[in-house]
Amino acid sequence: LSGLGIKDEVFLRKQEEFFVAVESMLVRRDFAIKLLNSQNYPDLAASVVVCKSNEDMKENLSVQSTLKHIRNKLVSKMEKLSIPVIKSRTLFGVCDPSKLMNY
């Protein structure tokens, strides 16, 4: 996307924000809720919301166990250097070098 004029620093910042959120999701409710919603775990996000504080979340063994499992999955994504961008959309493009398409 650098070719579209989006600076590399933007992606590096997004990636760093993701890394921090993944590392903190076991102890910070706000990071856990944001990540769980963005990764399509709304039921678990609701369970975290029910916990009234970071301490409550840490003491809930069921929530912690599931969060650890999801965190491990996210860490494996980090190793593949994907850069998840929350509140984004997927964009597909089509190349028509022969100019046969009607558009």
Side-chain angles (χ1 to χ4, degrees):
L1 292 175
S2 297
L4 296 175
I6 300 171
K7 296 182 179 184
D8 292 339
E9 292 81 30
V10 172
F11 294 106
L12 293 172
R13 188 180 71 243
K14 288 288 186 190
Q15 188 177 39
E16 182 60 29
E17 288 171 2
F18 179 71
F19 292 167
V20 169
V22 168
E23 291 303 320
S24 301
M25 71 182 290
L26 298 178
V27 294
R28 297 256 325 252
R29 290 174 66 242
D30 55 337
F31 287 139
I33 293 166
K34 185 176 181 180
L35 279 172
L36 293 169
N37 282 321
S38 73
Q39 298 296 314
N40 201 25
Y41 293 101
D43 293 339
L44 184 56
S47 297
V48 173
V49 169
V50 170
C51 297
K52 299 295 181 197
S53 67
N54 291 333
E55 290 301 317
D56 286 346
M57 184 183 76
K58 289 189 272 186
E59 292 173 3
N60 187 324
L61 298 179
S62 174
V63 168
Q64 281 295 305
S65 174
T66 309
L67 284 176
K68 285 177 185 174
H69 177 72
I70 292 169
R71 182 177 158 264
N72 290 340
K73 283 183 177 181
L74 294 174
V75 167
S76 72
K77 281 186 179 182
M78 287 169 34
E79 292 168 356
K80 295 177 186 174
L81 295 177
S82 64
I83 303 174
V85 179
I86 297 171
K87 295 185 180 178
S88 65
R89 300 288 181 258
T90 302
L91 177 69
F92 295 95
V94 177
C95 179
D96 183 22
S98 63
K99 299 183 179 168
L100 296 175
M101 295 179 68
N102 295 322
Y103 52 93

